[in-house]
Amino acid sequence: MSSTNADEKKLKSSTSDTYFKFKVTLLGLYHVIMIMLLIYLLIKVWPNYYAGENGQQLETNYFSLFGWSIQSGSEAGLLLLVVIAAALGSYIHAATSFVSYVGNKSLVMSWAWWYILRPFIGVALALVFYFVIRGGLLSVNTQAGDISIFGITAVAGLVGMFSKQATDKLGEVFNTLFKTKEGEGDHARKDKLGDKMSVTEKMIPLNKITFYTIPENKSLSEIKLDELYELLNETVTRVPVLNEKNILKYVIHQSIIFKFIVESGIAASDSSKSFDVRNLSMEEFLNYPGIKDLVEEAVAFVPNTATILEAKEEMEKINNCQDIFITKTGNKEEEVIGWLTNVDITKWLSV
């Protein structure tokens, strides 16, 4: 009897494993088909130009979509380019994540819909971002013919690839446009939940924060930036850096690291120096012009007795501040108790 049960368990395990591999294969095929489709659409929609009699650039290609004939460089053509480029950027993000988890044998099928819908989420976000740009909220207003095809496609692709950073940027635009005066908005709504909600109720406690501890026996020149970069993933886009006493030293955002790496690589190529991102140190990163102000000074501190609204007010006093840390009395030289981001603050004040 026991032998029969063991055989049944082995059969169920084998069946389950086979079914899991089948689903992984389907996801893999989805990504292969997706990239082939996106490349085809990009080539089909991309404008082709030729020089007219007076030297003016003229477009030649029209393409058909659901029975409509669309000129590639028109407003509708630009929208389609934004959609395809955003889907391509999101695809890169999703496919990179997929192969990494499959390679490490740590893929969880509950994330399957995330991989399937990721390109569509990127498309929706890129369209909003495109409308913001065309509306003149991030740049000057321009006509379709005056827009750089390469520029708008690159922006759409990057928005799709880095949706979290794009969402933060749209949040900044919204906050700037609809910022209320003293005595209005949250200040006027005394019964607002955020006016009574304690930061300790909604903060991320220290034991749940993904952070980097500076080793006591290491100098900043010995710490490789790669050590921090490895902590970043789809959900972790900023990393607090603490000392051995859990006192905050810096908050390093993914976008700042990317900016530093790109500009360091450009500087190295201009000077014909060899460049290896793995050799970049924390000291080089912090000494780069303007970075230390962002990762060290653009941080707010509040006591554990503060409310969410008070935390927001502290955040607004500091330029470029997106992070609030809770200590016992609000002193930055005290041990960190918890952390709130600008996204958390906005969420709880909108309740």
Side-chain angles (χ1 to χ4, degrees):
M1 185 71 178
S2 59
S3 176
T4 303
N5 288 338
D7 290 340
E8 288 179 355
K9 287 181 180 180
K10 188 181 291 185
L11 179 61
K12 286 180 180 179
S13 176
S14 176
T15 303
S16 176
D17 188 51
T18 301
Y19 185 51
F20 178 80
K21 288 179 179 178
F22 175 71
K23 290 190 287 187
V24 171
T25 302
L26 284 181
L27 268 179
L29 288 173
Y30 165 79
H31 284 100
V32 172
I33 294 170
M34 178 64 75
I35 187 60
M36 292 173 67
L37 176 64
L38 290 174
I39 291 174
Y40 168 76
L41 290 174
L42 190 61
I43 293 172
K44 186 177 179 67
V45 175
W46 194 265
N48 291 320
Y49 296 98
Y50 75 98
E53 294 180 359
N54 58 356
Q56 183 182 6
Q57 282 191 336
L58 300 175
E59 291 179 69
T60 61
N61 61 319
Y62 284 77
F63 58 92
S64 179
L65 186 68
F66 302 119
W68 292 321
S69 181
I70 301 173
Q71 187 178 9
S72 57
S74 64
E75 294 286 353
L78 283 175
L79 276 176
L80 281 172
L81 264 181
V82 168
V83 166
I84 296 166
L88 184 61
S90 297
Y91 164 83
I92 293 171
H93 184 183
T96 302
S97 173
F98 174 73
V99 296
S100 296
Y101 280 100
V102 171
N104 291 321
K105 297 183 179 179
S106 56
L107 181 68
V108 179
M109 269 303 157
S110 59
W111 283 86
W113 277 108
W114 183 89
Y115 289 113
I116 293 170
L117 294 177
R118 183 69 182 80
F120 301 96
I121 295 170
V123 165
L125 182 59
L127 283 173
V128 174
F129 213 86
Y130 174 73
F131 294 141
V132 169
I133 292 175
R134 291 302 304 276
L137 301 182
L138 287 180
S139 65
V140 294
N141 195 10
T142 54
Q143 299 299 317
D146 300 326
I147 288 180
S148 166
I149 299 296
F150 290 99
I152 200 65
T153 305
V155 169
L158 289 171
V159 168
M161 194 183 303
F162 304 110
S163 297
K164 177 65 173 62
Q165 292 88 330
T167 303
D168 288 345
K169 176 55 70 176
L170 289 174
E172 289 177 20
V173 172
F174 186 87
N175 289 335
T176 301
L177 287 175
F178 299 99
K179 187 174 182 179
T180 56
K181 298 178 181 178
E182 192 73 27
E184 299 177 355
D186 288 329
H187 299 282
R189 293 189 288 272
K190 293 302 180 183
D191 59 341
K192 189 72 175 176
L193 188 58
D195 195 32
K196 301 174 183 177
M197 188 185 298
S198 170
V199 290
T200 54
E201 291 179 53
K202 301 302 178 183
M203 70 181 185
I204 308 169
L206 182 63
N207 62 353
K208 292 188 178 179
I209 297 175
T210 299
F211 63 90
Y212 179 84
T213 302
I214 300 175
E216 194 172 3
N217 59 344
K218 267 190 176 184
S219 65
L220 292 176
S221 61
E222 295 175 302
I223 300 172
K224 300 301 180 186
L225 194 60
D226 215 26
E227 295 180 43
L228 275 76
Y229 186 78
E230 288 176 356
L231 298 175
L232 300 169
N233 53 45
E234 288 85 0
T235 57
V236 178
T237 60
R238 53 184 95 174
V239 177
V241 178
L242 313 180
N243 66 11
E244 69 282 357
K245 296 180 181 178
N246 289 333
I247 296 172
L248 182 78
K249 304 302 292 181
Y250 316 103
V251 182
I252 299 180
H253 289 236
Q254 187 181 57
S255 56
I256 300 176
I257 292 181
F258 286 159
K259 180 178 184 292
F260 169 68
I261 291 173
V262 170
E263 293 184 2
S264 296
I266 293 172
S269 62
D270 289 343
S271 60
S272 301
K273 292 181 180 178
S274 60
F275 177 73
D276 188 346
V277 67
R278 293 169 297 181
N279 291 331
L280 295 174
S281 68
M282 271 283 288
E283 185 176 56
E284 291 175 288
F285 174 72
L286 293 172
N287 288 336
Y288 196 80
I291 282 185
K292 200 165 185 179
D293 290 338
L294 292 174
V295 301
E296 186 175 21
E297 303 299 330
V299 181
F301 293 85
V302 294
N304 56 11
T305 55
T307 64
I308 295 291
L309 186 56
E310 288 170 339
K312 176 177 180 287
E313 291 169 350
E314 285 299 314
M315 184 177 69
E316 290 176 343
K317 293 177 183 177
I318 302 172
N319 289 334
N320 301 311
C321 180
Q322 297 182 29
D323 302 276
I324 302 166
F325 287 85
I326 296 89
T327 62
K328 186 176 180 180
T329 66
N331 189 322
K332 66 179 183 179
E333 297 301 327
E334 295 176 325
E335 179 181 356
V336 169
I337 298 173
W339 176 29
L340 285 167
T341 68
N342 56 326
V343 177
D344 298 324
I345 295 291
T346 302
K347 178 175 72 174
W348 294 118
L349 283 177
S350 63
V351 174

